[in-house]
Amino acid sequence: METPILRIENVSKRYGKKDVLKGASLDVNKGDLKILIGPSGAGKSTLLQCINFLVKPDEGRIWLEGREIHYAQKRDLYAYRQKVGMIFQDFNLFDHLSALENVKIGMVKVRGMAHEQAQERAVMELERVGLKEHLHKYPAQLSGGQKQRVSIARALAMDPKVMLLDEPTSALDPELIGEVLAVIRDLGLAGMTMIMATHQIGFASSLACEIIFMEDGRIVETGTPEKIFYQAECARTREFCSKITELYGETR
Ligand SMILES: Nc1ncnc2c1ncn2[C@@H]1O[C@H](COP(=O)(O)OP(=O)(O)O)[C@@H](O)[C@H]1O
Ligand SMILES: [Mg+2]
C-alpha cells in the first residue's frame, strides 16, 4: 500500500474547557485534494492549524512522507512548515511590500536563497497565477482575488509538498471567487496535494477526491463528493449538505 504523504492521527485540541478538536485522523496521498466542510465552529480551521503546527495539538501524531514531526524539535518543525504551505481567508500579505517582494521574502529570509534567484522564481510564480502585469503593485492596489493569488504564489515559491487552504475564497466578492478557484484547480491538476476548507461545493464536487464533513470537533463522515452530497449516511451530513446546496447552488 502507498505510504500517505501526510498522516494525521488522533489530533485533539482544547481551548480552556472546550474540546474544539476531538481526535481527528486523516491520511492524504500524493495528489489528493481533500475538502473539509462543516458548519462554522466545527473545528476546520483548528484542524488545518494543527496540521501546520501553527497551533500545537494537545494530542495526536503527524507524519510527513513517513517521518513523524515532533513539535519540540524546532529545526524539524521549521523544515516541515516550509513543506506544508498555508493559505488563509484574509491573505496575510505584508502591506508594505509589493506583490513581488511578498513572494520573494520567504525564499530569501527562510530558504536563504540569493536575491537574483529568488527574484526569478517570484516572477515565475506570479506569472503562473496570472499576475505578470502586477508584480510591483502593493496589496492596497490589488483586488481581493489578486491578493489571494499573490498569497498562493508565495506559498508555491517555497516548494510545498502539501498545501492547506482555509476558506481561500470566503473573503472575496462573488465575481472574484472564480479566478482564485481556477488557480487552485490548476494546481490540483498539476498534481499538488491539498486539504482545503471551503463552502464552494460546486468546486468541491467536481475536483475533490474526498469530502470530509466535520461537526463539533469531529470528523463525522468522509466519502466521495457523490456520496457525501447525495447519499450521506449520517442525518447531520445530509442536513448540512442540503443547506449549503441551497445557499451555494447545486453540484450537478
Ligand atoms: N484561539 C482560540 N481560542 C479559543 N477558542 C478558539 C480559538 N480558535 C478557535 N476557537 C474555538 O474553536 C471552535 C472551532 O473553531 P474553528 O476551528 O475556527 O472552526 P471552523 O473553522 O470550522 O469555523 C470554535 O468554537 C472557536 O470559537
Ligand atoms: Mg474556519
Side-chain angles (χ1 to χ4, degrees), residues 50 95 120 125 198 231 252:
C50 283
D95 289 328
E120 227 170 80
E125 295 301 349
T198 186
Q231 297 144 34
R252 63 178 181 192

Side-chain angles (χ1 to χ4, degrees), residues 6 23 27 40 57 92 101 110 114 140 154-155 165 179 242:
L6 189 67
D27 276 355
S40 173
N92 269 23
E101 290 162 337
V110 181
R154 177 181 57 185
L165 302 101
E179 67 187 50
S242 79

Side-chain angles (χ1 to χ4, degrees), residues 71-136:
Y71 188 84
Q73 290 170 6
K74 293 297 172 194
R75 189 187 292 225
D76 279 2
L77 185 67
Y78 295 142
Y80 171 78
R81 286 217 185 100
Q82 283 184 52
K83 291 182 198 150
V84 180
M86 185 102 174
I87 302 293
F88 302 90
Q89 186 175 332
D90 55 1
F91 328 126
N92 269 23
L93 297 176
F94 292 114
D95 289 328
H96 65 291
L97 297 180
S98 68
L100 188 65
E101 290 162 337
N102 263 289
V103 178
K104 238 176 102 174
I105 190 167
M107 285 185 280
V108 174
K109 301 251 183 207
V110 181
R111 295 179 74 186
M113 270 167 78
H115 273 275
E116 239 172 62
Q117 201 189 350
Q119 173 97 5
E120 227 170 80
R121 179 69 188 268
V123 170
M124 192 191 100
E125 295 301 349
L126 284 162
E127 282 180 2
R128 176 169 169 187
V129 299
L131 293 175
K132 194 178 173 181
E133 315 296 324
H134 305 282
L135 301 180
H136 302 292

Side-chain angles (χ1 to χ4, degrees), residues 39 67-68 83 112 137 151 158 178 192 212:
R67 183 154 180 235
E68 187 167 4
K83 291 182 198 150
K137 289 192 180 160
S151 100
M158 302 301 276
M192 179 59 76
I212 299 164

